[in-house]
Amino acid sequence: MDQASQKQHDRAYLRERTLQAWFKLKNQPVDVKLISGSETISVSFRSVQADEEVLHVSDLQTPLGCVSEALLRGNDVEQLCFRLTKVEPETQAPKTEGCQ
């Protein structure tokens, strides 16, 4: 395999692994720190756009209350902190608490 083909193969492999990771994080609780310097907010991760510039979240806990569904711009996010739990391969992700 020539160098260009190897690079293309490597990029495809990394993209596949990234997509698998995003898929496995679906419905997981996550704390989001925004660039604005406001306090960390808690959400349940749902999905991410293909270009990874927009995050779809639910149960957005804010100081003003709970938002059931929301989109967060990637440029506004400084940090994502997932609280991972071990999930058996054939089971669904554990249910997180929703808006009360």
Side-chain angles (χ1 to χ4, degrees):
M1 190 181 301
D2 68 351
Q3 188 175 2
S5 296
Q6 183 62 43
K7 281 186 179 183
Q8 183 177 8
H9 178 268
D10 292 347
R11 280 193 299 269
Y13 173 78
L14 291 173
R15 181 65 180 155
E16 179 182 358
R17 298 287 297 183
T18 300
L19 292 173
Q20 289 173 352
W22 283 125
F23 182 75
K24 288 181 180 188
L25 293 170
K26 184 177 180 182
N27 298 322
Q28 294 293 321
V30 62
D31 294 324
V32 179
K33 183 175 181 186
L34 300 175
I35 295 289
S36 64
S38 64
E39 63 187 70
T40 302
I41 54 176
S42 296
V43 299
S44 181
F45 177 78
R46 294 292 179 236
S47 64
V48 63
Q49 273 187 349
D51 58 9
E52 300 180 352
E53 291 187 12
V54 177
L55 301 170
H56 173 216
V57 299
S58 64
D59 305 327
L60 175 66
Q61 302 289 335
T62 71
L64 298 175
C66 183
V67 179
S68 61
E69 299 289 327
L71 297 175
L72 301 176
R73 296 182 305 183
N75 289 342
D76 293 336
V77 175
E78 181 177 327
Q79 181 181 44
L80 297 173
C81 182
F82 286 90
R83 297 169 295 206
L84 302 178
T85 56
K86 185 172 182 170
V87 178
E88 296 303 318
E90 297 300 318
T91 63
Q92 297 244 345
K95 203 73 165 140
T96 58
E97 258 184 53
C99 294
Q100 302 290 332

